[in-house]
Amino acid sequence: MRLIQFVTPEQQRAVALVLSSTEVQPLSQIQTVYQLANQALSANKPLQQLVKELVSDQKLDYQAILAEGRLLAPFDHPDQAHLLVTGTGLTHLGSADTRATMHAQTSGKAVAELTDTMKMFKLGLDGGKPAAGETGVQPEWFYKGDGSIVVSPGAQLLSPSFALDGGEEPEIVGVYINDAEGQPWRIGFALGNEFSDHKTERLNYLYLAHSKLRPCAVGPELLLGDLPAHIEGTSRIYRDGKLLWQKAFVSGEDNMSHSISNLEHHHFKYDLFCRPGDAHLHYFGTATLSVGDGIETQAGDVFEIEAPAFGLPLRNTLAVDTKQPLKVKML
């Protein structure tokens, strides 16, 4: 079961069940997935059951919604400051090699010398999938921003004026909401473009935190239920309407060094992330990056991330901001 959020021709928010690549069915009296999730919590009903109860008989043209730019990210929060966007790295088999190779291209060091990357990756391999009732090793973790950084499918990914580059990161995103007691609940999963500044990261791996403070994209569809154990997808870059680069990627726990439950545990173990009413988008990492193949992106490039399990592909165009950072003033 997959959902979208969109705007009607009358400029009203709406949620719909995806029937196919061309047809969706709106839910009655539901404007956002956040509202839907809270209603499921209040009624103590599984989310998919509530969707079945609320789906209307009306059918809408999915492609028209897309073509008219009315498609929204599949999840948001009414107060952007209460949607936290975070992620974990070195979680996928092969992800250490991708990052180490990327760093070695400019550092001149042998891949084997990048010991911090390899040590972190090995920790995940050895202890990232604990047995039931046990706690696994904690992953690399990073903060991206709040809900203000999330752009809709089809929208521009605006790289700041001070960035050294802007590159795609095809990932799976976990979507969560905290109830009134602070208990986190998983709503589902979506495709995501985590979008980072890899040239800044290359300068020194301690710049990773800076490189992640960029916009990101999610969607277009929200997959309810469990994440498939094996996911196959393709990441592409188009320039001037022509395919510049493409590469297959895999995800799901069969292709990861950490279990989803272990990654969730090490995020929500912090009381800060269990505040009642807050919501979370959490990127689960990747092993496929165009920068690892020497691609340098430029304004106007179109990123496309596709995986059949998630419906339509996620497309966004790279743009570069001309606005300069503000200077602090004395009060």
Side-chain angles (χ1 to χ4, degrees):
M1 182 179 286
R2 302 190 304 275
L3 303 177
I4 61 167
Q5 293 193 129
F6 66 102
V7 178
T8 69
E10 296 75 33
Q11 298 303 301
Q12 299 297 312
R13 293 279 305 255
V15 175
L17 174 66
V18 177
L19 299 179
S20 69
S21 62
T22 60
E23 204 168 46
V24 297
Q25 263 182 304
L27 306 188
S28 300
Q29 299 180 335
I30 294 293
Q31 287 75 49
T32 69
V33 172
Y34 183 81
Q35 175 194 6
L36 176 70
N38 275 296
Q39 192 165 319
L41 288 171
S42 297
N44 194 28
K45 288 183 179 179
L47 194 58
Q48 295 190 55
Q49 178 184 334
L50 184 59
V51 169
K52 291 176 181 177
E53 293 175 5
L54 294 175
V55 70
S56 68
D57 294 329
Q58 184 183 15
K59 294 182 180 179
L60 302 178
D61 186 337
Y62 191 1
Q63 290 299 315
I65 294 171
L66 189 64
E68 294 166 10
R70 295 190 281 114
L71 195 59
L72 302 172
F75 184 77
D76 56 3
H77 191 288
D79 182 347
Q80 293 179 335
H82 287 277
L83 175 60
L84 300 177
V85 187
T86 54
T88 43
L90 297 174
T91 55
H92 283 64
L93 305 177
S95 57
D97 290 337
T98 300
R99 186 185 296 185
T101 300
M102 180 184 76
H103 287 194
Q105 286 175 349
T106 54
S107 69
K109 293 183 179 180
V111 169
E113 293 177 24
L114 298 172
T115 55
D116 287 331
T117 293
M118 293 303 178
K119 283 180 180 178
M120 180 65 76
F121 182 62
K122 188 175 186 303
L123 284 172
L125 287 177
D126 294 342
K129 293 183 176 180
E134 297 182 2
T135 299
V137 67
Q138 59 188 358
E140 176 192 58
W141 182 96
F142 57 85
Y143 172 74
K144 279 197 69 69
D146 62 17
S148 65
I149 70 164
V150 181
V151 306
S152 299
Q156 290 184 333
L157 282 166
L158 192 61
S159 186
S161 59
F162 54 81
L164 301 183
D165 90 325
E168 87 299 331
E169 294 205 14
E171 304 190 21
I172 306 302
V173 183
V175 181
Y176 305 88
I177 186 173
N178 298 339
D179 67 19
E181 284 71 47
Q183 167 66 46
W185 296 81
R186 186 195 313 122
I187 296 174
F189 301 91
L191 279 181
N193 185 345
E194 197 248 298
F195 190 67
S196 299
D197 184 342
H198 300 111
K199 284 188 177 180
T200 291
E201 183 187 345
R202 278 175 172 175
L203 294 175
N204 188 304
Y205 74 94
L206 294 177
Y207 282 151
L208 176 73
H210 284 281
S211 75
K212 296 298 186 181
L213 293 173
R214 301 291 186 269
C216 61
V218 181
E221 302 177 20
L222 173 63
L223 176 68
L224 304 185
D226 294 329
L227 184 70
H230 177 74
I231 296 166
E232 296 183 7
T234 306
S235 182
R236 304 180 182 92
I237 300 176
Y238 293 91
R239 180 172 295 168
D240 299 326
K242 298 178 181 179
L243 182 65
L244 173 69
W245 173 88
Q246 74 171 354
K247 198 166 192 175
F249 69 89
V250 292
S251 192
E253 287 193 4
D254 287 353
N255 305 293
M256 298 173 67
S257 51
H258 288 262
S259 64
I260 296 298
S261 62
N262 189 56
L263 299 177
E264 291 173 339
H265 167 79
H266 287 293
H267 180 73
F268 289 105
K269 69 183 181 183
Y270 296 103
D271 289 343
L272 172 66
F273 300 141
C274 297
R275 291 184 305 198
D278 278 7
H280 298 257
L281 294 175
H282 190 81
Y283 285 82
F284 288 120
T286 187
T288 303
L289 304 171
S290 65
V291 69
D293 291 338
I295 298 295
E296 294 204 15
T297 59
Q298 62 185 43
D301 287 351
V302 176
F303 302 117
E304 181 181 85
I305 298 171
E306 182 176 24
F310 291 91
L312 293 187
L314 174 62
R315 296 189 183 97
N316 297 92
T317 302
L318 173 62
V320 178
D321 200 355
T322 57
K323 182 177 63 178
Q324 296 301 307
L326 297 175
K327 293 183 179 181
V328 176
K329 296 180 179 181
M330 179 64 76
L331 185 61

